[in-house]
């Protein structure tokens, strides 16, 4: 059986206006230019503007057509961008007001996004930790959390990660289960600062209920590897903030958050919005695009994705040779 392996990269942030859409558009262009088939999806329903950052007119129907049942398949909504290997699925500019989605519609969208045949499918999400956004973020273990170096933005990024982890654990158990009650009560009563990681306390409570539940939660946490990017960085302090967010998240929440890199403040980025032409196309030598190139290369080479810790088994390898 041939398995289509595309990496889905959701881009989220606690605070709005930190550069997610600019990043999505330009990263998409760079991945496509390096030969990776890339599909950009505008999932900022209610505030779609990815087409503007890509510099294309949005006259095609988008995700809202699937939500409103005018279209049954997301595949039908994919269209070419003019950049080789780069495709785009619009959001809802033609049909605004799709900000609140029932869970089954989200599931339908996510199921179809998972089936897209591409190397990368990048989801530009709306800002904030509403369940709508967080559920889209959780479609992959490798989401990217965007922040600017402002304190409010970093704190909101931390809240976003915390909400995502609890939502991920909650959804790992069946509806109306005892485990969901434990997680719900834990989230609503826990005060930060006990010195231990949030998740280890919660896992203890889940394990006290059932050994298997504790094991499942431990496994889910181990598999969750989101990244953080600090955008509009101006100096080393901005970079250090990203590292600090990583360290605090690891210590307090107990997940393996990694720092994917920093992107500098660059006036060319602002000008690109007025020009309606992405900076990756007009100014490939700009500092923003040079730094983005490092991130794109990490993603493109697969180096950023943790490899499973498996030992080789000589017997198995010999058995493969025999076939
Ligand atoms: N590295 C940068 N240098 C300079 N300006 C930037 C940079 N990144 C983003 N900006 C500015 O920030 C603005 C907001 O960016 P963008 O729309 O990508 O944010 P967003 O996180 O997608 O916002 P929202 O949450 O509203 O969707 C851009 O219009 C641009 O002017
Ligand atoms: Mg945006």
């Amino acid at each position: 059986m041939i398995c289509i392996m595309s990496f889905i990269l959701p881009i989220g942030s606690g605070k709005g206006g930190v550069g997610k859409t600019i990043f999505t558009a330009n990263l998409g262009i760079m991945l496509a230019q390096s030969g990776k088939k890339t599909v950009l999806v505008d999932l900022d329903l209610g505030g779609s503007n990815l087409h503007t950052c890509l510099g294309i007119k949005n006259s095609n129907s988008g995700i809202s057509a699937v939500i409103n049942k005018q279209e049954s398949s997301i595949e039908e909504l994919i269209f070419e961008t003019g950049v080789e290997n780069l495709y785009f699925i619009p959001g809802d500019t033609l049909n605004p007001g799709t900000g609140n989605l029932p869970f089954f519609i989200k599931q339908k969208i996510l199921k179809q996004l998972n089936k897209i045949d591409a190397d990368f499918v990048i989801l530009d999400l709306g800002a904030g930790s509403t369940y709508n956004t967080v559920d889209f973020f959780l479609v992959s273990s490798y989401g990217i959390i965007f922040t600017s170096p402002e304190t409010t933005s970093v704190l909101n990024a931390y809240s976003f990660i915390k909400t995502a982890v609890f939502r991920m654990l909650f959804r790992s158990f069946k509806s109306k289960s005892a485990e969901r009650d434990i997680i719900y009560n834990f989230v609503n009563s826990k005060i930060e600062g006990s010195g231990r990681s949030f998740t280890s306390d919660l896992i203890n409570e889940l394990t006290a209920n059932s050994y298997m539940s504790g094991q499942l939660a431990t496994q889910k946490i181990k598999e969750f590897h989101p990244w953080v990017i600090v955008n509009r960085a101006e100096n080393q302090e901005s970079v250090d903030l990203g590292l600090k967010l990583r360290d605090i998240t690891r210590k307090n929440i107990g997940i393996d958050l990694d720092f994917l890199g920093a992107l500098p403040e660059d006036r060319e980025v602002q000008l690109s919005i007025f020009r309606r032409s992405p900076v990756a196309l007009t100014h490939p030598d700009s500092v923003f695009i040079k730094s983005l190139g490092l991130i794109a290369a990490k993603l493109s080479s697969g180096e950023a994705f943790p490899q499973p810790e498996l030992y080789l088994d000589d017997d198995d390898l010999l058995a493969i040779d025999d076939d």
Side-chain angles (χ1 to χ4, degrees):
M1 190 179 81
I2 296 172
C3 177
I4 300 165
M5 265 302 281
S6 62
F7 275 117
I8 301 196
L9 285 178
I11 318 296
S13 73
K15 194 168 184 285
V18 290
K20 297 179 294 299
T21 307
I22 292 276
F23 171 75
T24 304
N26 288 290
L27 175 69
I29 292 170
M30 296 189 89
L31 289 172
Q33 285 173 335
S34 73
K36 303 285 180 189
K37 182 178 173 188
T38 303
V39 180
L40 305 182
V41 187
D42 194 337
L43 271 180
D44 185 356
L45 302 173
S48 295
N49 64 349
L50 181 55
H51 58 284
T52 312
C53 291
L54 280 168
I56 49 184
K57 274 214 173 107
N58 197 25
S59 43
N60 298 48
S61 46
I63 296 278
S64 59
V66 170
I67 296 168
N68 300 326
K69 295 189 182 144
Q70 292 144 348
E71 202 75 64
S72 60
S73 158
I74 283 184
E75 200 100 49
E76 318 268 317
L77 307 172
I78 303 178
F79 72 93
E80 292 179 356
T81 59
V83 174
E84 197 181 348
N85 292 324
L86 188 68
Y87 300 83
F88 176 52
I89 301 177
D92 63 354
T93 36
L94 299 177
N95 279 305
T98 39
N100 278 322
L101 298 179
F103 190 73
F104 77 95
I105 301 235
K106 273 185 281 192
Q107 283 304 93
K108 182 179 165 189
I109 294 172
L110 292 175
K111 226 169 153 181
Q112 293 199 25
L113 291 177
N114 261 309
K115 285 193 198 147
I116 294 176
D117 176 14
D119 295 304
F120 289 94
V121 177
I122 310 179
L123 315 182
D124 180 28
L125 304 181
S129 325
T130 60
Y131 285 153
N132 242 358
T133 310
V134 169
D135 283 334
F136 285 139
F137 188 80
L138 290 175
V139 68
S140 155
S141 294
Y142 303 103
I144 297 177
I145 296 135
F146 237 69
T147 179
S148 71
E150 288 168 27
T151 311
T152 45
S153 174
V154 177
L155 289 175
N156 287 354
Y158 179 75
S159 301
F160 182 94
I161 298 162
K162 211 162 76 176
T163 307
V165 171
F166 284 128
R167 178 77 173 158
M168 184 263 293
L169 289 175
F170 186 80
R171 284 190 35 210
S172 298
F173 296 97
K174 280 194 180 135
S175 176
K176 300 194 174 75
S177 59
E179 288 86 352
R180 281 199 170 186
D181 281 346
I182 293 171
I183 296 167
Y184 181 85
N185 292 332
F186 183 91
V187 173
N188 288 312
S189 63
K190 180 79 181 169
I191 298 159
E192 219 164 317
S194 67
R196 287 162 52 81
S197 93
F198 254 58
T199 35
S200 63
D201 283 352
L202 176 57
I203 285 168
N204 285 344
E205 288 193 26
L206 288 167
T207 307
N209 174 67
S210 123
Y211 177 75
M212 293 306 286
S213 310
Q215 288 290 300
L216 178 64
T218 307
Q219 185 62 27
K220 292 284 175 186
I221 285 168
K222 208 170 160 217
E223 287 167 2
F224 194 51
H225 293 281
W227 289 298
V228 64
I229 290 179
V230 177
N231 185 28
R232 312 193 78 156
E234 297 201 75
N235 47 36
Q236 182 60 35
E237 272 170 46
S238 311
V239 176
D240 291 345
L241 262 177
L243 296 169
K244 209 165 156 188
L245 177 62
R246 176 196 67 186
D247 294 344
I248 289 177
T249 304
R250 286 183 175 187
K251 181 169 166 281
N252 289 2
I253 308 181
I255 57 153
D256 204 4
L257 181 80
D258 247 320
F259 181 56
L260 193 52
L263 295 168
E265 173 75 22
D266 186 344
R267 198 168 142 64
E268 287 304 340
V269 172
Q270 278 153 340
L271 294 176
S272 72
I273 304 284
F274 295 111
R275 285 192 211 108
R276 287 187 165 251
S277 193
V279 67
L281 295 180
T282 60
H283 293 78
D285 289 332
S286 60
V287 281
F288 181 81
I289 292 304
K290 280 193 171 151
S291 301
L292 184 57
L294 299 177
I295 292 175
K298 269 193 208 171
L299 294 170
S300 181
S301 69
E303 166 203 332
F305 300 95
Q307 300 299 316
E309 292 166 22
L310 296 177
Y311 294 105
L312 286 179
D313 184 326
D314 291 341
D315 293 342
D316 282 357
L317 289 177
L318 289 174
I320 291 172
D321 274 352
D322 284 348
D323 281 348

